[in-house]
Amino acid sequence: MHAYTLVEALLLILLIIYKWLLHNQSVLDLLTFLPIFFTAIYMFANKKIISKQDKLLYLALLIAVLGDIFLIYINNVYGIYSFLLIQLIYFYYFNNEKVKISYLIYIALLVLITCLLLGHSSLIIEGVIYFVIFARNLYSTLNYQEHTKKTLLILIGFIFLAVCDTNVFLVSCLQEYNILPLLEKIFFTIEWTAYISFQVIISYSITKIKNINAS
């Protein structure tokens, strides 16, 4: 875990330095992909020690790999859709005794159909649904009856993810209109610091803390 955390920290430093000082987009795209790639390798190497309950969070991190590929190289619509799926997984993780997974699958399918039909125009719909699910996740986690070290770490991790996603939106707006390059770099730095923090915290919570009921 220490080696993995060190690698992620070094990649974050390289990414920030490259963003602020250099201007090769291909290299920047590679540096933005490497942190989640190494997270996927770390999780795959440790999958045997991940509890059955935590397989959902393991799946969420793997979906994040797919989301990054879409966001960086293919299509923002399906990149954001991937992170919406992560929020649905997180919702089920804390509410599996109250909510049938079939309902969440229906939501995921309906949003996917919307993306296929509307294309780029579906981004607003995705954003609204994402915000609603995230707000519900935050509420349910804050009001979780038996908080443990694990649930608190997961809460912190997904707050970092929300900070990341907020700054993704801000960076996208500034890049779209090609304005305020200094502010865009600041938001980019916050975005990736938050995102890598999310990866490390969730990875730690499901590989080093075995039981959600342990303190």
Side-chain angles (χ1 to χ4, degrees):
M1 183 71 198
H2 294 301
Y4 159 69
T5 304
L6 180 60
V7 169
E8 293 289 296
L10 290 174
L11 287 172
L12 175 60
I13 292 170
L14 283 174
L15 177 59
I16 293 172
I17 291 174
Y18 208 91
K19 175 66 177 179
W20 282 82
L21 301 179
L22 302 169
H23 304 285
N24 186 309
Q25 188 60 45
S26 297
V27 175
L28 189 62
D29 287 344
L30 176 62
L31 288 174
T32 54
F33 179 70
L34 284 177
I36 189 62
F37 175 73
F38 280 106
T39 294
I41 291 177
Y42 172 78
M43 295 303 298
F44 184 78
N46 289 276
K47 66 178 182 178
K48 291 183 178 180
I49 67 173
I50 299 173
S51 69
K52 183 178 179 180
Q53 182 183 32
D54 289 337
K55 294 294 185 182
L56 283 172
L57 295 178
Y58 173 64
L59 176 62
L61 285 174
L62 294 183
I63 291 175
V65 177
L66 182 63
D68 274 347
I69 293 173
F70 276 119
L71 284 173
I72 297 170
Y73 297 109
I74 304 175
N75 189 305
N76 284 351
V77 172
Y78 299 105
I80 294 175
Y81 176 75
S82 299
F83 286 93
L84 190 152
L85 290 180
I86 293 173
Q87 288 294 336
L88 287 173
I89 290 171
Y90 178 54
F91 179 80
Y92 185 72
Y93 183 84
F94 275 99
N95 296 277
N96 57 78
E97 295 180 357
K98 303 176 183 178
V99 179
K100 291 183 179 180
I101 194 169
S102 57
Y103 295 157
L104 302 182
I105 292 174
Y106 292 150
I107 293 174
L109 288 175
L110 285 173
V111 176
L112 178 59
I113 292 170
T114 302
C115 292
L116 291 171
L117 292 176
L118 299 181
H120 195 268
S121 299
S122 67
L123 285 172
I124 295 176
I125 297 173
E126 284 186 295
V128 171
I129 296 174
Y130 181 96
F131 175 78
V132 170
I133 298 172
F134 169 75
R136 183 64 180 84
N137 284 343
L138 183 61
Y139 173 81
S140 62
T141 311
L142 289 172
N143 289 276
Y144 195 70
Q145 292 182 349
E146 297 181 0
H147 263 305
T148 65
K149 182 179 180 181
K150 171 170 281 189
T151 61
L152 287 172
L153 280 173
I154 293 170
L155 170 61
I156 293 170
F158 275 85
I159 289 175
F160 273 120
L161 181 60
V163 171
C164 166
D165 291 342
T166 301
N167 282 274
V168 168
F169 172 75
L170 295 172
V171 168
S172 298
C173 290
L174 294 177
Q175 289 179 342
E176 179 73 20
Y177 296 101
N178 195 27
I179 58 174
L180 302 174
L182 177 61
L183 194 59
E184 185 264 339
K185 289 179 180 178
I186 293 173
F187 288 149
F188 179 92
T189 301
I190 297 172
E191 168 195 339
W192 281 96
T193 300
Y195 187 45
I196 291 176
S197 297
F198 156 75
Q199 294 175 30
V200 172
I201 290 171
I202 298 299
S203 298
Y204 175 81
S205 71
I206 64 180
T207 60
K208 298 302 180 182
I209 305 177
K210 302 298 183 184
N211 195 317
I212 200 168
N213 295 316
S215 58

Short mmCIF file of all heavy atoms in Angstrom, two decimals, residues 1-10 42 196 200 204:
data_model
loop_
_atom_site.label_atom_id
_atom_site.label_comp_id
_atom_site.label_asym_id
_atom_site.label_seq_id
_atom_site.Cartn_x
_atom_site.Cartn_y
_atom_site.Cartn_z
N MET A 1 0.84 -1.21 0.00
CA MET A 1 0.00 0.00 0.00
C MET A 1 0.86 1.25 0.00
O MET A 1 0.57 2.23 -0.67
CB MET A 1 -0.91 0.00 1.23
CG MET A 1 -1.88 1.17 1.29
SD MET A 1 -3.19 1.03 0.06
CE MET A 1 -3.80 2.71 0.00
N HIS A 2 1.97 1.22 0.77
CA HIS A 2 2.85 2.39 0.83
C HIS A 2 3.48 2.69 -0.53
O HIS A 2 3.58 3.85 -0.93
CB HIS A 2 3.93 2.18 1.89
CG HIS A 2 3.40 2.11 3.29
ND1 HIS A 2 2.69 3.13 3.87
CD2 HIS A 2 3.47 1.13 4.21
CE1 HIS A 2 2.34 2.79 5.10
NE2 HIS A 2 2.80 1.59 5.33
N ALA A 3 3.90 1.63 -1.24
CA ALA A 3 4.50 1.82 -2.56
C ALA A 3 3.46 2.38 -3.53
O ALA A 3 3.76 3.29 -4.32
CB ALA A 3 5.06 0.49 -3.07
N TYR A 4 2.26 1.84 -3.48
CA TYR A 4 1.18 2.32 -4.35
C TYR A 4 0.88 3.80 -4.08
O TYR A 4 0.76 4.61 -5.01
CB TYR A 4 -0.07 1.47 -4.13
CG TYR A 4 -1.36 2.14 -4.55
CD1 TYR A 4 -1.64 2.38 -5.90
CD2 TYR A 4 -2.30 2.52 -3.61
CE1 TYR A 4 -2.82 2.99 -6.29
CE2 TYR A 4 -3.48 3.13 -3.98
CZ TYR A 4 -3.74 3.37 -5.32
OH TYR A 4 -4.91 3.98 -5.69
N THR A 5 0.78 4.17 -2.80
CA THR A 5 0.50 5.56 -2.44
C THR A 5 1.61 6.48 -2.91
O THR A 5 1.35 7.59 -3.41
CB THR A 5 0.33 5.69 -0.91
OG1 THR A 5 -0.70 4.79 -0.47
CG2 THR A 5 -0.05 7.11 -0.52
N LEU A 6 2.85 6.03 -2.78
CA LEU A 6 4.00 6.83 -3.23
C LEU A 6 3.96 7.03 -4.74
O LEU A 6 4.20 8.14 -5.24
CB LEU A 6 5.30 6.14 -2.82
CG LEU A 6 6.60 6.85 -3.23
CD1 LEU A 6 6.67 8.24 -2.61
CD2 LEU A 6 7.82 6.02 -2.81
N VAL A 7 3.65 5.98 -5.49
CA VAL A 7 3.55 6.08 -6.94
C VAL A 7 2.47 7.09 -7.34
O VAL A 7 2.68 7.94 -8.21
CB VAL A 7 3.26 4.70 -7.57
CG1 VAL A 7 2.88 4.86 -9.05
CG2 VAL A 7 4.46 3.79 -7.44
N GLU A 8 1.31 7.00 -6.67
CA GLU A 8 0.22 7.92 -6.98
C GLU A 8 0.62 9.37 -6.67
O GLU A 8 0.30 10.29 -7.44
CB GLU A 8 -1.03 7.55 -6.16
CG GLU A 8 -1.65 6.22 -6.55
CD GLU A 8 -2.33 6.27 -7.91
OE1 GLU A 8 -3.30 7.01 -8.07
OE2 GLU A 8 -1.86 5.55 -8.82
N ALA A 9 1.32 9.58 -5.56
CA ALA A 9 1.75 10.93 -5.20
C ALA A 9 2.74 11.48 -6.23
O ALA A 9 2.66 12.65 -6.63
CB ALA A 9 2.38 10.92 -3.81
N LEU A 10 3.67 10.63 -6.67
CA LEU A 10 4.66 11.07 -7.67
C LEU A 10 3.98 11.38 -9.00
O LEU A 10 4.33 12.37 -9.66
CB LEU A 10 5.71 9.98 -7.85
CG LEU A 10 6.69 9.77 -6.69
CD1 LEU A 10 7.59 8.57 -6.94
CD2 LEU A 10 7.52 11.03 -6.46
N TYR A 42 -3.11 -2.20 -8.81
CA TYR A 42 -3.03 -2.46 -7.36
C TYR A 42 -4.25 -3.25 -6.89
O TYR A 42 -4.12 -4.22 -6.13
CB TYR A 42 -2.93 -1.13 -6.61
CG TYR A 42 -3.03 -1.29 -5.11
CD1 TYR A 42 -1.94 -1.74 -4.37
CD2 TYR A 42 -4.23 -1.02 -4.44
CE1 TYR A 42 -2.04 -1.91 -2.99
CE2 TYR A 42 -4.33 -1.18 -3.08
CZ TYR A 42 -3.24 -1.63 -2.35
OH TYR A 42 -3.35 -1.80 -0.99
N ILE A 196 -7.20 11.68 -7.24
CA ILE A 196 -6.21 10.70 -6.79
C ILE A 196 -6.39 10.40 -5.30
O ILE A 196 -6.22 9.26 -4.86
CB ILE A 196 -4.79 11.19 -7.11
CG1 ILE A 196 -4.58 11.18 -8.64
CG2 ILE A 196 -3.73 10.32 -6.43
CD1 ILE A 196 -3.25 11.72 -9.11
N VAL A 200 -6.95 6.58 -3.72
CA VAL A 200 -6.10 6.03 -2.66
C VAL A 200 -6.93 5.68 -1.43
O VAL A 200 -6.77 4.62 -0.82
CB VAL A 200 -4.97 7.01 -2.30
CG1 VAL A 200 -4.21 6.54 -1.07
CG2 VAL A 200 -4.01 7.17 -3.49
N TYR A 204 -7.49 1.94 -0.02
CA TYR A 204 -7.06 1.61 1.33
C TYR A 204 -8.21 1.01 2.14
O TYR A 204 -8.04 0.01 2.85
CB TYR A 204 -6.53 2.86 2.04
CG TYR A 204 -6.17 2.63 3.49
CD1 TYR A 204 -4.94 2.06 3.84
CD2 TYR A 204 -7.04 2.96 4.52
CE1 TYR A 204 -4.60 1.82 5.16
CE2 TYR A 204 -6.71 2.74 5.84
CZ TYR A 204 -5.50 2.18 6.16
OH TYR A 204 -5.18 1.94 7.47
#
